[in-house]
Amino acid sequence: MSSFQLHFADHDILTPGDAPDVLVAMNPAALKANIADVPPGAVIIVNNDEFTKRPMAKVGYATNPLEDGSLTAYHIHSVPLTTLTVEALKPFGLTRKEAERSKNMFALGLLSWMYHRPTEGTEAFLRKKFAKKPQLAEANVTAFRAGWNYGETTEDFAVSYQVAPATKAFTPGTYRNITGNLALTYGLIAAATQADLPLYLGSYPITPASDILHELARHKNFNIRTFQAEDEIAGIGAALGAAFGGQLGVTTTSGPGVALKSETIGLAVSLELPLLVVDIQRGGPSTGLPTKTEQADLLQAMYGRNGEAPVPIIAPQTPADCFNAAIEAARIALTYRTPVFLLSDGYLANGSEPWHIPDVANLPDLRVQFATGTNHELPDGTQVFWPYKRDPHTLARPWAIPGTPGLEHRIGGIEKQNGSGNISYDPANHEFMVRTRQAKIDGITVEDLAIDDPSEAATTLVLGWGSTYGPIAAAMRRLRTQGIAVAHAHLRHLNPFPANTERVLKSYQRVIIPEMNLGQLATLVRAKYAINAHSHTQINGMPFKAEELATALKEAINA
């Protein structure tokens, strides 16, 4: 069973919505799984064709819930969606099984009538979607119209609703609907294009990251090569090899895959090569909850390698923001010659929202200068290439493409001598290299932490990261309408933290950190800044609900 939730309003939307106003249940399993989220008084449209003895028994209904009085708290509309759809599509000569597939379009037409939504765009989309199968396109359009006409003519639906136009003007431009994984994919393509580098993805399929592999494979025209490896280790090994060869190397995975990739990530730290490690987090540990969301890989990304192996960490906050986060991750990787973690999660990956398509001319220039000649003079006057002679500002080492005459150099995981890159077991050299690699990460330039505090009088700061942005912002809106002054800050960069983070945190009497884990960011903040950050955690595989979060924050503020 699968489900999809749509939220639309006359104001900006921050979450999919806590409680649906309308539930369309195509079968007993759908009703059973979702009824707990539906508030009393809501509308439930049920496909009564599926409420027969066997399907109901499978999900534990001893009696028919449409007849036993258990749903009296809701406005129930029992509609034979399957029968009506099959009847409407008889002229197309489809089999019953083929016709039944369009019942969701019938339901969409009915909902479009209920909410006075325009139909032209939907019909145009269906015809474009099934352009290669015109009969299928027209069948879906017909089912959609049949649903709209059913709402218009039946006496069962006495009430319809109308959502006013948006009160807040959008930034002018072209918009499209986009999911987090698709936005992240486009961000990777844009980053490689702006860097004027080939993009190489070495990946092994894993939920919920596989969509990125699938989508990138469709865009070979952008000088992209995708490799579906036999396992996680081979995937990142190939990506790191591509980085050594002068390409933008990327590997995508989820939490279990990060564990397998950890040794090669450590190798990338030692080699000091740009590499993007995209972790679409899911519930853990081990196989955990593959189709559910969680934020529990932060400490793994931060410390999940042997030795001192610092890696920058970036986390997008909305589905559309995955595009910008991918470009920022590439900027850091290419500028500082380091692997970079990009931490998304299942909630962002599968969630969608309107995306303002950016002007390519406004995207950052990510082009890099490869080493082209010698860069060091020995005491005897000989000119040589030193692969670990660093840029004085970024501490990045030169990036030399293999095969460039005169730039031959050693690679591998054994410690390198500063400058020359020769193998070194010297204790003083090892300490210098460890501290230099850490200093390089600590010195990465990132934007300051921004504060949302309209009252400028808040004494409590709610600090978030990643996909908690929407629920936290929605909870802030609820609290402020109740007259509670509260500030909100959201971290995009988790390593290194923005330079003003300590000053911001210590300017509030109380800091509360909501996370979909057991308090991993709170642990880092407490350790680094010695502040008593309060955790509010949830690890049920689901995102925060705005109302529940607002209530919890209010209780914490009043405690």
Side-chain angles (χ1 to χ4, degrees), residues 189-271:
I189 296 172
T193 302
Q194 293 302 104
D196 196 21
L197 293 175
L199 188 149
Y200 185 96
L201 174 70
S203 182
Y204 181 76
I206 184 171
T207 302
S210 299
D211 291 342
I212 302 170
L213 169 62
H214 302 158
E215 185 63 29
L216 278 176
R218 298 188 178 103
H219 298 285
K220 296 181 176 67
N221 55 307
F222 285 103
N223 203 10
I224 293 170
R225 182 175 298 172
T226 55
F227 168 52
Q228 181 174 319
E230 65 269 28
D231 56 40
E232 296 280 5
I233 299 171
I236 189 173
L240 183 56
F244 177 61
Q247 301 186 31
L248 180 58
V250 182
T251 189
T252 53
T253 189
S254 191
V258 173
L260 292 166
K261 295 178 189 290
S262 61
E263 183 179 5
T264 306
I265 297 170
L267 176 60
V269 172
S270 176
L271 296 180

Side-chain angles (χ1 to χ4, degrees), residues 57-81:
K58 277 186 175 181
V59 295
Y61 281 127
T63 58
N64 190 335
L66 306 183
E67 301 171 353
D68 62 11
S70 61
L71 301 177
T72 54
Y74 310 98
H75 296 291
I76 303 298
H77 297 277
S78 183
V79 181
L81 293 174

Side-chain angles (χ1 to χ4, degrees), residues 15 76 90 180 262 317 319 388 423:
T15 72
I76 303 298
K90 274 186 176 180
S262 61
Q317 61 188 33
Y388 283 85
I423 290 174

Side-chain angles (χ1 to χ4, degrees), residues 453-467:
D453 181 12
S455 69
E456 298 184 352
T459 58
T460 297
L461 173 71
V462 179
L463 180 68
W465 72 277
S467 66

Side-chain angles (χ1 to χ4, degrees), residues 20-40:
D21 298 298
V22 178
L23 170 66
V24 179
M26 289 294 186
N27 50 53
L31 180 65
K32 186 88 170 182
N34 295 283
I35 189 66
D37 293 326
V38 182

